[in-house]
Amino acid sequence: MPEGDTVWQAAQRLHHALTGEQLTRSDLRVPKLATVDLTGRTVLEVAPRGKHLLTRIEGGLTLHSHLRMDGSWRLYRPRERWSGGPAHQIRAVLGTRAWTAVGYRLPVLDLLRTADEHRVVGHLGPDPLGPDWDADRALGNLLAAPDLPLGEALLDQRNLAGVGNVYKSELCFLLGATPWLPVGALSAEQAAAVPVLARRLLEANRDRPHRVTTGRRDQPLYVYGRAPRPCLRCGTPVRRAEQGDGSRSRPTYWCPSCQQGPAPPPPGR
């Protein structure tokens, strides 16, 4: 799943290619927007908000998209072959004289008034890569539900926007806490470090083509995707389990030696 840094990169690419340009092609391939034609309007900016993309267009309109698990926006020059997937997966096409932006497998695509953007992103917590970042507010959001497991709290975009499954596992490792430790069981020092580390990791990776949390290119991540290989810090085999309520369970990685707190129950229990 794309995380805040990935969405930030996508927004930057789209912003530099489209902003200030008049749309010469508009094709929104979802039923509710099938009759919409944005041709002739100028793109004002493309802004990220957590994992959401907001393409603001002349006339007070915003095209809102969310990539979810495998959505993407690709940019192509005139006459360049589109290669992001089969044609039936295309959900949006925005073209200018110089570029064509093609949205593949977009599970969320809405057109709304820019003044109404709060309807789709107003519920989000502070964005570590956004102008609204507020570490104290993010910390307060996290501590408001002290019984919630840390991993689930980090994924709740109402607390802070942009942390996904990779950063969830890496943040928990850096904090020395398992993803199943209740937020309220964190020490004051650990709790205060959560928003600081989240911002530091996302900022460090927003301009990188490949995500790194360890400072090592040969071993870029501490625990995510490493089970059952040895922990980079202590050598204990990294473990993997699903975390969530069953409807949105996601693979979670942790080191049982470096991270303190409860482990998940065995499967089937």
Side-chain angles (χ1 to χ4, degrees):
M1 172 184 287
E3 308 205 17
D5 53 351
T6 307
V7 175
W8 191 91
Q9 292 172 14
Q12 295 305 301
R13 290 192 296 269
L14 292 168
H15 181 80
H16 290 305
L18 303 180
T19 296
E21 299 295 326
Q22 189 177 76
L23 292 174
T24 58
R25 181 175 181 181
S26 165
D27 186 3
L28 305 180
R29 302 181 184 180
V30 295
K32 62 184 175 182
L33 302 178
T35 61
V36 171
D37 185 6
L38 301 173
T39 303
R41 297 177 186 262
T42 298
V43 177
L44 303 179
E45 66 176 326
V46 182
R49 180 72 174 86
K51 300 181 184 182
H52 299 251
L53 281 166
L54 303 169
T55 302
R56 296 170 181 141
I57 300 169
E58 179 186 13
L61 298 175
T62 294
L63 185 66
H64 164 241
S65 58
H66 195 297
L67 306 182
R68 293 269 173 89
M69 292 300 293
D70 62 348
S72 69
W73 279 95
R74 303 289 186 91
L75 285 166
Y76 301 99
R77 290 290 192 181
R79 294 181 295 279
E80 185 179 357
R81 184 171 178 268
W82 298 358
S83 56
H88 72 266
Q89 293 182 347
I90 295 173
R91 297 294 177 265
V93 180
L94 298 176
T96 69
R97 290 178 301 172
W99 292 99
T100 300
V102 184
Y104 288 92
R105 300 171 298 278
L106 300 176
V108 176
L109 190 68
D110 301 301
L111 186 69
L112 63 155
R113 289 170 50 84
T114 301
D116 294 333
E117 285 180 359
H118 63 276
R119 288 169 36 203
V120 292
V121 296
H123 65 289
L124 298 175
D127 183 346
L129 296 180
D132 71 320
W133 175 243
D134 184 333
D136 290 337
R137 182 177 154 219
L139 178 58
N141 291 344
L142 290 164
L143 295 177
D147 295 332
L148 193 66
L150 176 59
E152 294 181 36
L154 288 170
L155 288 184
D156 189 335
Q157 302 299 294
R158 295 170 297 181
N159 292 330
L160 66 164
V163 172
N165 216 35
V166 177
Y167 283 123
K168 174 194 78 173
S169 294
E170 295 296 291
L171 279 167
C172 288
F173 177 84
L174 290 170
L175 291 165
T178 72
W180 292 271
L181 183 73
V183 171
L186 291 170
S187 69
E189 182 179 0
Q190 285 176 311
V194 174
V196 175
L197 285 172
R199 180 175 172 84
R200 184 179 302 165
L201 290 180
L202 285 161
E203 278 197 324
N205 285 288
R206 69 180 187 180
D207 295 318
R208 289 176 176 164
H210 303 290
R211 187 176 291 131
V212 177
T213 61
T214 63
R216 297 172 51 179
R217 293 186 179 181
D218 61 325
Q219 304 280 5
L221 302 175
Y222 282 109
V223 290
Y224 188 85
R226 287 189 55 83
R229 288 177 288 170
C231 170
L232 294 177
R233 184 175 288 169
C234 73
T236 301
V238 172
R239 295 182 61 187
R240 177 192 184 278
E242 297 291 323
Q243 184 175 27
D245 60 7
S247 63
R248 300 183 62 188
S249 61
R250 297 186 180 124
T252 301
Y253 300 83
W254 81 104
C255 172
S257 295
C258 291
Q259 295 170 250
Q260 303 303 306
R269 291 185 59 186

